[in-house]
Amino acid sequence: MKTTTEAQKIIHKDGKMIVPNKVLIPFIEGDGTGPDIWHATKNVVDAAVKIAFNGEKEISWVEVLAGQKAFDSTKDWLPKQTIEKIKDLKVAIKGPLSTPTGGGIRSLNVTLRQIFDLYACVRPVRYFDGVSSPVKKPELVDLIIFRENIEDVYSGIEFKKDTKEVESLIAFLKTLGHSVRSDSGIGIKPISEFCSKRLVRKAIQYAIQNKKPSVTLVHKGNIQKFTEGAFCEWGYEVANEEFPVETISEKELYDKHNGKVPSGKIVIKDRIADNMFQQLLIRPDEYSVIATTNLNGDYLSDACAAQVGGLGIAPGANIGDEVAVFEATHGTAPKYANQDKVNPGSMILSAVMMLDHMGWTKAGELIVKAFEKTIMQKRVTYDLERQMTGATLLKTSQFADAIIENMK
Ligand code: NAP
């Protein structure tokens, strides 16, 4: 008699993640265009897992609520059950969430990252053949950005002009010899050794595991010495103290090796953020893994996504030591909500990152190949179609169907 196994949760044992063959994965549908791109993603992932593992593996999706859908049914934007479920099941995927305006409610996305200590925002950026790009050689872009996800100006320490808090801060700063205009608002930018080091450590570990040639520390240390500058110094400390065999600094490379990288070594470089924007435009192939602070990473990842064809195909992951939440880089694009119109690529490729994270790489590879093929066939959604000549315009759901067709 055929027995059906119950879906089980992912567990961590001896520092390793154990993923059962039939696994429970929570999802947040998201607001605006979220439901459209989520349904497309679910169909593509289910098909890929089925084909890649001959039905031996399966995802059992568990819906958890957040955003407007949660508020409408529970009067809570981020219900406690959602937090508990994600904490318990460890790996989740989410659609974009709109930030409720007014009432001082914090961004739900930022809140989720803080609650689960998802300290690394990981955003790979690569070119897909056939996509129109604003640069001459987009195929030279093959980067992965590790953006610190907890601190910096995102830590939410801000004081409004003309409040008691800002007045006392200004008075306090005066005692330290700093003069700040009385009509100022003030934001605080904390950058700690602990958070900087664990982010850079993750970036270097990724570079080692994936045989990447370099890790570049991007910072604005020429101006903000004790925050951005310190991030860079702590990054070099991690490389020197924890990975002396695997890494070499750019300085040592030129001082001792005439610029020739010794076999198997990963070069640790650093670049000031403004310079990095132009470097990535003119010499993107000199960069591979990037480790940077929160705000720099936010700007850089959208700029890099634009270089290879836009936000519609830019995936992302928020990763902590236990929990990981995968999500599209873009927002809810509310003007296109429920039109079955936008590109689900960003969420589909985020799901590929999730499958890789779970060790189900075979399914992820299948999706990427089919995705590449579909774009080469010029069967695309509006965002890519408007930039391609002779393309066939597909809806969100049709694009997902085309990918599934190309997997077979
Ligand atoms: P957005 O939702 O990212 O949309 C900006 C533009 O990007 C869209 O108008 C569209 O460009 C393009 N775009 C976005 N998603 C696309 C897709 N799937 N396919 C094709 N093109 C796409 O940014 P926003 O309008 O600034 O933000 C809207 C809401 O999303 C806000 O409430 C914001 O707080 C929230 N948000 C959430 C997240 C998150 O959940 N992680 C991230 C960012 C923003 P065209 O108009 O040119 O077609």
Side-chain angles (χ1 to χ4, degrees), residues 33 37 94-100 107 109 113 123 311-313 327-336 341-346 381-383 386:
T33 49
I37 60 172
K94 66 174 274 290
L97 294 170
S98 53
T99 299
S107 155
N109 303 302
R113 290 168 198 166
R123 289 179 172 173
L311 283 176
I313 49 172
E327 66 172 340
T329 299
H330 59 71
T332 58
K335 66 181 176 186
Y336 299 128
K341 179 178 171 102
V342 297
N343 192 339
S346 178
T381 46
Y382 84 97
D383 53 320
R386 67 187 170 189

